């Protein structure tokens, strides 16, 4: 038996709650979209899913997650919302035409794991002009499939919204 579900992933600036931006890069790099982040900055990473999130790892570092009140627009879909603080201290500013692939692993109840790769470009902490070019990110929506007896989640579709 196979189950289908959605996972929503979002990033916002912890200070002030402002959003982050992304741009469509086509096939120039390993991923079609680039998420624009500033170094030495705290971001709130939110995950909305019908599954219970137990752990989150970003680029090999484990982050403490806590359950928070879900957004009302998803309550009909029985989504739960979890968040963590991701700090970009130690990430180097990317040079022109360079991107950094960041692995994100979401570990849910039942030993179910969703792993995705985000293509990022890091800018200096105070840089706001280039890091805000592009489209404001509401969330990244993953259409997922889980086959009974397996623990790895298959992403059928990824959409930046």
């Amino acid at each position: 038996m196979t189950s289908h579900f959605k996972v929503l992933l979002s990033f916002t600036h912890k200070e002030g709650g402002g959003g982050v931006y992304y741009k469509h890069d086509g096939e120039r790099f390993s991923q079609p979209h680039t998420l624009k982040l500033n170094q030495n900055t705290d971001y709130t990473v939110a995950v909305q899913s019908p599954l219970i999130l137990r752990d989150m790892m970003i680029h090999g570092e484990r982050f403490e997650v806590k359950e928070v009140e879900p957004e009302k627009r998803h309550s009909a879909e029985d989504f739960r919302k979890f968040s963590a603080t991701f700090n970009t201290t130690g990430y180097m500013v990317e040079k022109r035409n360079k991107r950094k692939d960041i692995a994100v692993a979401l570990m849910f109840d039942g030993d179910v794991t969703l792993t995705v790769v985000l293509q990022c470009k890091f800018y200096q902490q105070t840089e706001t002009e280039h890091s805000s070019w592009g489209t404001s990110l509401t969330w990244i929506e993953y259409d997922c499939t889980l086959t009974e007896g397996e623990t790895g989640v298959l992403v059928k579709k990824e959409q930046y919204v």
Side-chain angles (χ1 to χ4, degrees):
M1 180 178 195
T2 301
S3 62
H4 300 276
F5 59 95
K6 291 186 182 203
V7 173
L8 306 179
L9 178 66
S10 67
F11 289 76
T12 55
H13 288 268
K14 189 169 182 176
E15 293 274 328
V20 299
Y21 290 80
Y22 72 94
K23 73 178 216 174
H24 183 74
D25 278 322
E27 297 179 11
R28 295 184 332 147
F29 302 102
S30 64
Q31 304 287 324
H33 298 94
T34 297
L35 196 60
K36 298 179 166 202
L37 302 172
N38 295 94
Q39 68 176 175
N40 303 321
T41 302
D42 284 331
Y43 291 95
T44 298
V45 181
V47 176
Q48 294 184 75
S49 166
L51 306 177
I52 297 173
L53 183 66
R54 292 294 175 210
D55 279 308
M56 176 189 306
M57 290 186 75
I58 300 176
H59 205 58
E61 183 179 348
R62 186 173 303 271
F63 291 87
E64 181 180 337
V65 295
K66 61 181 178 183
E67 188 165 7
V68 295
E69 195 65 34
E71 295 177 19
K72 293 189 186 330
R73 68 177 143 235
H74 296 296
S75 60
E77 297 179 43
D78 202 25
F79 272 52
R80 299 176 87 152
K81 184 175 181 180
F82 302 86
S83 73
T85 299
F86 168 52
N87 181 282
T88 57
T89 298
Y91 287 85
M92 302 300 293
V93 171
E94 301 302 320
K95 295 182 180 184
R96 184 179 174 167
N97 293 322
K98 299 288 182 187
R99 303 292 186 265
K100 182 161 190 70
D101 287 342
I102 303 291
V104 177
L106 305 174
M107 287 76 81
F108 299 97
D109 265 1
D111 292 324
V112 172
T113 301
L114 168 62
T115 303
V116 296
V117 175
L118 300 176
Q119 180 173 278
C120 300
K121 180 157 182 146
F122 289 92
Y123 296 90
Q124 293 203 14
Q125 181 178 11
T126 57
E127 200 293 319
T128 57
E129 186 177 342
H130 290 92
S131 64
S132 62
W133 281 357
T135 305
S136 179
L137 179 71
T138 304
W139 62 70
I140 306 168
E141 181 177 301
Y142 297 99
D143 233 347
C144 302
T145 302
L146 179 64
T147 302
E148 188 175 338
E150 294 184 9
T151 59
V153 174
L154 177 64
V155 175
K156 298 295 241 179
K157 183 179 175 187
E158 172 189 77
Q159 182 177 358
Y160 280 62
V161 180

